[in-house]
Amino acid sequence: MLIIGIAGGTGSGKTTVVNQILNQLPDNEVTIISQDSYYKATDELSYEERTKINFDHPRAIDFDLLVKQLQQLKKGEIIDQPIYSFVTHNRTEDTLKTHPKKVMIVEGILIFNNPELRDLCDIKIFVHADADERLIRRLKRDIQERGRDINEVLNRYQDTLKPMHNQFIEPTKNFADIIIPNDRYNTVAIDIVRTVIAEKLANNAL
């Protein structure tokens, strides 16, 4: 099994890079594990209390469960991946049965903050984008997909997202094997990633 970690700030274009990599691989050989699924359960909190959680801080992530389930997948075991709701700011009661595949892509803004998780990644990719571009994408996503209003998004960006990015996300670029500039001309970087994946898969098959 090949585990690829893809990190980068919110709105940096990680999903675009993931999709570009997916296009290079057969559907039955790859599975995506999103850090967003592993926000900690907050059943004991009211909705108002949950809205005040700093979701851009590493302590908001259940890294223990994420690492444990990745280790299970590496052993060939099937896992029940949690499902998180950004509308209620909490895990749902449902889970997603996830099977081990040749390639597991783990993506999220904070995945390189955890040493155990970093060590599990065979390839670490950081997607870089301009801060203004990331804010614009965050605004569009949170308003259109997550039911937020513009003031809520901007306040969260100013109060937590931006300082957390500078403290916990941007520095993890130093752990990356490959840094991809997220613009329309990143085809060279994607080609390099594709070559590295092909080589590692070939070596694992030997």
Side-chain angles (χ1 to χ4, degrees):
M1 176 182 290
L2 183 69
I3 299 179
I4 303 172
I6 301 181
T10 183
S12 62
K14 294 184 297 299
T15 300
T16 300
V17 172
V18 168
N19 288 334
Q20 287 174 315
I21 293 174
L22 287 176
N23 290 337
Q24 310 294 329
L25 298 166
D27 291 341
N28 63 341
E29 291 187 356
V30 59
T31 291
I32 299 173
I33 302 287
S34 174
Q35 167 208 285
D36 289 354
S37 299
Y38 291 85
Y39 282 113
K40 291 178 179 176
T42 52
D43 298 328
E44 74 283 2
L45 302 179
S46 68
Y47 175 80
E48 288 72 23
E49 290 172 323
R50 293 198 295 268
T51 62
K52 297 175 183 177
I53 295 172
N54 182 355
F55 292 99
D56 297 287
H57 194 288
R59 64 171 170 251
I61 309 298
D62 191 347
F63 282 116
D64 289 342
L65 179 61
L66 178 51
V67 168
K68 176 185 175 182
Q69 292 199 329
L70 273 178
Q71 290 171 335
Q72 289 176 309
L73 288 166
K74 284 195 75 170
K75 294 176 183 176
E77 300 174 9
I78 299 170
I79 65 167
D80 290 315
Q81 192 179 164
I83 296 175
Y84 193 86
S85 168
F86 287 97
V87 176
T88 62
H89 297 292
N90 200 5
R91 282 187 196 169
T92 69
E93 295 181 359
D94 299 320
T95 57
L96 178 64
K97 198 165 287 295
T98 304
H99 295 256
K101 299 286 182 68
K102 285 186 179 180
V103 179
M104 306 295 298
I105 296 177
V106 185
E107 67 87 18
I109 62 174
L110 294 164
I111 61 171
F112 294 161
N113 277 95
N114 184 274
E116 284 186 280
L117 185 52
R118 286 201 308 269
D119 289 343
L120 283 170
C121 294
D122 300 292
I123 305 172
K124 293 181 287 293
I125 299 169
F126 190 95
V127 184
H128 175 79
D130 179 78
D132 291 342
E133 186 68 26
R134 288 190 289 104
L135 173 57
I136 291 169
R137 290 174 183 159
R138 177 73 178 234
L139 277 169
K140 289 180 178 178
R141 185 194 67 187
D142 282 6
I143 293 171
Q144 294 172 3
E145 299 177 15
R146 299 182 178 176
R148 310 283 191 262
D149 65 58
I150 188 168
N151 289 328
E152 181 183 0
V153 179
L154 289 175
N155 287 338
R156 184 179 286 273
Y157 179 84
Q158 186 175 34
D159 295 341
T160 60
L161 199 152
K162 184 177 179 180
M164 293 301 98
H165 177 87
N166 293 336
Q167 183 175 355
F168 294 112
I169 300 169
E170 188 69 19
T172 65
K173 188 159 55 176
N174 295 324
F175 296 117
D177 302 306
I178 301 170
I179 298 174
I180 295 181
N182 185 49
D183 55 38
R184 69 189 70 181
Y185 305 112
N186 65 10
T187 52
V188 172
I190 295 297
D191 285 342
I192 292 171
V193 172
R194 184 180 66 236
T195 300
V196 171
I197 291 172
E199 289 178 353
K200 287 187 175 289
L201 284 175
N203 290 335
N204 288 345
L206 296 178

